Amino acid sequence: MPIKLQKLPAAVRWGLAVLCAAVCGVLWAYYWRVFFGLDNRVSPLVVTLGCAAFLEVCLLAGYCVRRFAKGFAAKGAVCIFLCGLLFAFANPPLQTPDEADHYLRTYAISTGHFDFDASRTYPDDVAYLLEAFPGAWVNAHTSAGVGTDPDTGAEKAYNTAGYALKQYGKDGAVQSMADSFALYLAHDVRDSVPDPVSEPVSFLVIPFLPGAVGMALARLLSFGALGCLYGGRIVNLLAYTLLCALALAKAERYRPAFAAIMLLPMSLFMGASLSYDATLLGCYYLMLALLTRKEWDTRTVGIYTAACIFVNIAKPYLNLLWVLPIFLVAKREWHAKGRRPLWALGGFGGAMAVTLLTEWYGTAFRYNYPIIERQGGMQDPAQWQALCGNFDENIRTLEQLYEVTIVCRDTEIKVNGAEAKAAQAAAVLQSLLQMLETGQPISLQTVRYAAMMVSEGEGQELQALADGGICLTATGKVVRARTVGQKRYVTAIQKNTIVFGIGPAGTGKTYLAVAMAVKAFKQHTVSRIILTRPAVEAGEKLGFLPGDLQNKVDPYLRPLYDALFEMMGAEAFQRNLERGVIEVAPLAYMRGRTLDHAFIILDEAQNTTSEQLKMFLTRLGEDSRMVITGDITQIDLPDKRKCGLLEAMQVLKHVNDIAIQEFTNKDVVRHRLVQDIIRAYETYHHRERKVEK
């Protein structure tokens, strides 16, 4: 005959429950130890007893809810708070996304600092806490990805969940959370002192107030930095619980579903952490619960509007959409004083007012912060993706260059690190944003160039690149100057009749000259385009090629052909070539001619003799322009022949209406290795010249 549990004495029933809990605790402890490799770190007995005790507490909590809580909302609130306590203490310190930053900001508010000062430091105990738990480093990034180990410098994959119970410590060794606690608790006897902690980039106050209250109480009781962490978490959880209880009390339908959502692990994970997401989620649930009511009185719509305004303090702009559900309330269900459009307008106005007030406050009372706000134009996801790059490669490049941490979150970019380097990284980001606003593409090369200019104190010159571009290619691509040197080159062509573009390969000398020629042709400033270059081989002989002279020189003119094809398209180029308005010919064809109303480009001018270049320059006719490009480090003339380009640079440097623009390796826009190659050759030749002397 089966035994009914209801007929057993209470002591026996409790004994069976304890036994079941102990068995589950043993199984859980075994899994915990084996899965996380803690056999050699934590005593199996300690883990087993801890798991059993935890399950007993859960049983006791369930009994208390059933025995003392009255009403669904009260029972739900007790369950939320008790389950949240589990998350508050089971979740290791600083493991919630961005909790390290939230901890520091909440701590500052708890001490009465409502302003924002990047130079503000924290007590040594706080610095020891952040050093002991590498989660502070993990959550400075995203929840998952590829990063660099903060201790060893080695690249490795990471994710927040993986750091919950084991993490990388010194010298790449795996350490448990027990090791981190031991490291923190033993700071009084350590011989090393951590770097002082400075205030992070975070300009919110009101959403952090519940956690700040908990921290203030912990400080009054002298619980230290770790106690402040858990004090802030508990009071934050209490705020989340109260909002959930209000939501359950106001909901007239789907209350079990609401309770289930509030008890989801992720909800409790965020609600029991030092994050403004706790109150944010509570307000979301409250507004959703109010939408289930059959009648909306003045009090209901007032609570809804207040919650809508609050969420816009923490997450502005996007949360303005919460105004719209007011119009979903049926006319027969509306019993509040005032019409729905007026309440919606009031909610929208209040939300915008607190949003703007928050932004003003964060701007007026912040000091020394290297921060780039993502507002206005950066609301475009495409621009945001362009700034970060594929798989955040642009951001990671800046982090490596300046040894900082860059966090892209919500409406701002946070730059954390040494003050000088963080300021430089922020300046680079500001320059990149200005480029994006004008539609200029951002690549790794652009990032490196901007970083180079800022490091050399020339970052303000990058603003010159933020323009509308030169012209459009046949495919609709905007042709722009991509470096400061290129911008000066384009400006010189616009303002002078003759321009010399001198520099290494890959600086865009020919390409930009062709772009300016096509622009002038389309604007009818000139009536034809003439492209030429000397037929001097770069160490190779092409005389064996079949065909006439034009066929033989075509290989030399290929870079000019390519540039024109891209600017005009193959069909338009061929049509204009046949009409004679575009001429591509070797330099020898220029003798004896007068070139009127033309845009003339001489490419590879370093391979001209003095006589050839003088001949070319004197072909200039009425309403014509000339651009001469060359690389004086790649002269292919026979040794006994004098380079005409070098001579012309000396002879003509003081002549009006003639400009000489010299490019450097910084202006190289090809593969980044091209820049490195040019720099290496320059260093090598410089060393050789020293040896010869």
Side-chain angles (χ1 to χ4, degrees):
M1 185 176 180
I3 300 176
K4 295 184 178 181
L5 293 178
Q6 293 83 350
K7 295 183 177 181
L8 294 175
V12 175
R13 294 201 301 268
W14 271 104
L16 290 174
V18 170
L19 179 62
C20 292
V23 172
C24 293
V26 171
L27 295 175
W28 188 8
Y30 179 80
Y31 170 80
W32 197 38
R33 285 166 35 226
V34 173
F35 186 80
F36 291 105
L38 300 178
D39 285 324
N40 299 324
R41 301 177 178 275
V42 183
S43 170
L45 181 60
V46 172
V47 177
T48 302
L49 292 177
C51 292
F54 165 71
L55 291 175
E56 298 300 334
V57 171
C58 291
L59 289 173
L60 181 60
Y63 173 78
C64 292
V65 170
R66 184 178 178 182
R67 183 73 172 84
F68 301 108
K70 304 298 183 183
F72 186 87
K75 292 182 178 179
V78 173
C79 289
I80 291 170
F81 187 75
L82 293 175
C83 293
L85 283 178
L86 165 64
F87 279 85
F89 288 100
N91 183 27
L94 308 177
Q95 296 298 312
T96 309
D98 293 326
E99 191 169 34
D101 287 355
H102 295 163
Y103 174 86
L104 295 174
R105 184 66 199 131
T106 306
Y107 193 99
I109 295 173
S110 73
T111 60
H113 291 103
F114 296 96
D115 59 344
F116 316 98
D117 189 353
S119 62
R120 180 180 295 130
T121 58
Y122 292 77
D124 291 341
D125 195 41
V126 174
Y128 283 115
L129 177 65
L130 267 68
E131 184 191 52
F133 293 90
W137 169 79
V138 174
N139 291 305
H141 297 73
T142 56
S143 59
V146 177
T148 304
D149 185 272
D151 302 306
T152 66
E155 188 178 84
K156 67 177 189 303
Y158 64 82
N159 65 77
T160 309
Y163 279 73
L165 291 173
K166 63 178 181 179
Q167 51 200 339
Y168 288 92
K170 298 298 180 183
D171 301 322
V174 177
Q175 67 181 45
S176 69
M177 295 307 304
D179 297 324
S180 293
F181 276 109
L183 181 64
Y184 168 69
L185 296 174
H187 69 268
D188 290 333
V189 296
R190 292 194 309 173
D191 54 2
S192 62
V193 179
D195 295 331
V197 177
S198 58
E199 192 164 297
V201 180
S202 182
F203 302 135
L204 295 177
V205 174
I206 294 177
F208 289 123
L209 285 178
V213 171
M215 282 194 175
L217 293 173
R219 287 191 303 104
L220 287 174
L221 298 173
S222 302
F223 283 164
L226 188 62
C228 288
L229 172 76
Y230 289 112
R233 282 183 175 182
I234 291 173
V235 178
N236 231 23
L237 172 63
L238 182 61
Y240 171 75
T241 302
L242 292 175
L243 288 170
C244 289
L246 181 60
L248 293 174
K250 293 295 182 180
E252 294 184 354
R253 291 171 289 180
Y254 316 120
R255 289 197 297 176
F258 276 112
I261 295 172
M262 296 168 183
L263 287 167
L264 285 174
M266 185 53 68
S267 298
L268 295 175
F269 181 70
M270 300 306 301
S273 67
L274 279 177
S275 173
Y276 54 77
D277 288 334
T279 50
L280 198 65
L281 288 174
C283 288
Y284 288 158
Y285 299 151
L286 175 59
M287 288 187 289
L288 287 172
L290 292 174
L291 291 174
T292 66
R293 297 184 66 84
K294 297 178 181 179
E295 293 185 359
W296 273 53
D297 55 15
T298 304
R299 185 177 180 182
T300 299
V301 71
I303 295 174
Y304 185 94
T305 304
C308 180
I309 292 175
F310 179 84
V311 297
N312 277 278
I313 298 177
K315 301 281 188 178
Y317 301 117
L318 182 62
N319 282 309
L320 290 173
L321 295 174
W322 281 101
V323 174
L324 298 179
I326 291 179
F327 294 99
L328 298 178
V329 181
K331 188 176 181 180
R332 65 178 182 279
E333 299 174 353
W334 188 266
H335 300 285
K337 295 181 180 179
R339 302 175 65 182
R340 286 176 296 172
L342 293 177
W343 277 99
L345 183 62
F348 181 84
M352 282 297 302
V354 298
T355 296
L356 297 176
L357 180 63
T358 301
E359 291 184 351
W360 169 83
Y361 189 85
T363 302
F365 294 92
R366 73 182 185 193
Y367 317 99
N368 309 317
Y369 271 95
I371 179 173
I372 311 298
E373 294 186 355
R374 181 162 60 97
Q375 304 287 354
M378 286 307 297
Q379 295 297 321
D380 185 355
Q383 284 191 334
W384 190 240
Q385 175 61 35
L387 176 65
C388 297
N390 294 329
F391 303 104
D392 293 341
E393 60 180 0
N394 296 343
I395 298 299
R396 290 204 301 271
T397 297
L398 285 178
E399 288 179 328
Q400 294 172 359
L401 288 174
Y402 292 103
E403 299 178 349
V404 296
T405 299
I406 302 175
V407 183
C408 305
R409 187 173 176 85
D410 300 331
T411 59
E412 59 188 20
I413 302 174
K414 304 176 184 179
V415 184
N416 298 322
E419 185 174 352
K421 292 187 177 181
Q424 286 187 325
V428 174
L429 287 168
Q430 184 66 60
S431 300
L432 296 176
L433 286 177
Q434 292 175 349
M435 295 180 187
L436 281 172
E437 289 174 356
T438 60
Q440 187 163 345
I442 301 297
S443 63
L444 275 177
Q445 190 175 61
T446 310
V447 174
R448 293 180 181 276
Y449 177 72
M452 185 187 306
M453 295 295 290
V454 170
S455 299
E456 295 178 1
E458 300 176 354
Q460 68 279 1
E461 298 189 28
L462 292 171
Q463 297 179 1
L465 302 178
D467 59 16
I470 301 171
C471 65
L472 294 176
T473 66
T475 59
K477 174 186 174 184
V478 180
V479 179
R480 292 186 174 89
R482 296 168 59 182
T483 70
V484 174
Q486 289 187 348
K487 182 63 179 179
R488 292 170 181 167
Y489 179 54
V490 171
T491 303
I493 295 174
Q494 292 172 338
K495 295 182 177 180
N496 297 273
T497 302
I498 298 178
V499 175
F500 288 82
I502 315 299
T507 53
K509 306 182 299 294
T510 304
Y511 185 80
L512 291 175
V514 172
M516 292 297 293
V518 172
K519 179 181 181 181
F521 178 74
K522 291 182 177 180
Q523 293 178 346
H524 304 290
T525 305
V526 298
S527 57
R528 55 180 174 159
I529 299 173
I530 300 174
L531 310 176
T532 184
R533 64 180 289 175
V536 176
E537 297 95 336
E540 302 178 47
K541 300 295 182 182
L542 300 178
F544 67 90
L545 291 175
D548 56 16
L549 179 60
Q550 188 66 46
N551 297 133
K552 291 179 181 293
V553 299
D554 272 352
Y556 299 104
L557 305 174
R558 179 50 55 187
L560 301 173
Y561 282 124
D562 292 342
L564 276 174
F565 285 164
E566 184 173 351
M567 299 296 169
M568 291 185 164
E571 293 183 4
F573 168 74
Q574 190 63 38
R575 184 171 59 254
N576 288 318
L577 188 66
E578 293 173 355
R579 291 172 53 201
V581 296
I582 292 179
E583 182 180 347
V584 185
L587 182 59
Y589 284 19
M590 299 296 109
R591 186 173 297 275
R593 303 177 61 185
T594 300
L595 307 175
D596 296 325
H597 310 292
F599 198 112
I600 313 134
I601 300 175
L602 171 60
D603 195 27
E604 301 292 346
Q606 77 276 3
N607 290 330
T608 61
T609 64
S610 298
E611 296 80 8
Q612 286 176 320
L613 190 54
K614 180 181 178 182
M615 177 274 295
F616 173 78
L617 291 171
T618 55
R619 301 306 95 194
L620 183 68
E622 291 293 328
D623 298 324
S624 292
R625 292 177 177 272
M626 278 187 175
V627 178
I628 299 96
T629 67
D631 181 4
I632 57 177
T633 66
Q634 296 188 12
I635 300 175
D636 300 312
L637 290 170
D639 295 338
K640 295 182 179 180
R641 305 184 71 181
K642 189 174 183 180
C643 176
L645 182 60
L646 287 173
E647 183 183 71
M649 291 171 62
Q650 296 297 321
V651 174
L652 304 175
K653 62 182 179 181
H654 298 303
V655 178
N656 290 333
D657 208 19
I658 296 179
I660 300 175
Q661 175 60 45
E662 297 190 44
F663 296 90
T664 67
N665 58 64
K666 292 189 296 185
D667 298 304
V668 174
V669 293
R670 290 179 184 168
H671 194 283
R672 65 177 181 84
L673 282 178
V674 175
Q675 193 176 76
D676 295 337
I677 291 169
I678 293 171
R679 190 181 295 110
Y681 269 96
E682 289 177 350
T683 303
Y684 174 77
H685 290 308
H686 180 70
R687 192 185 305 117
E688 286 219 325
R689 285 193 294 269
K690 278 189 174 181
V691 172
E692 291 176 358
K693 291 180 181 180

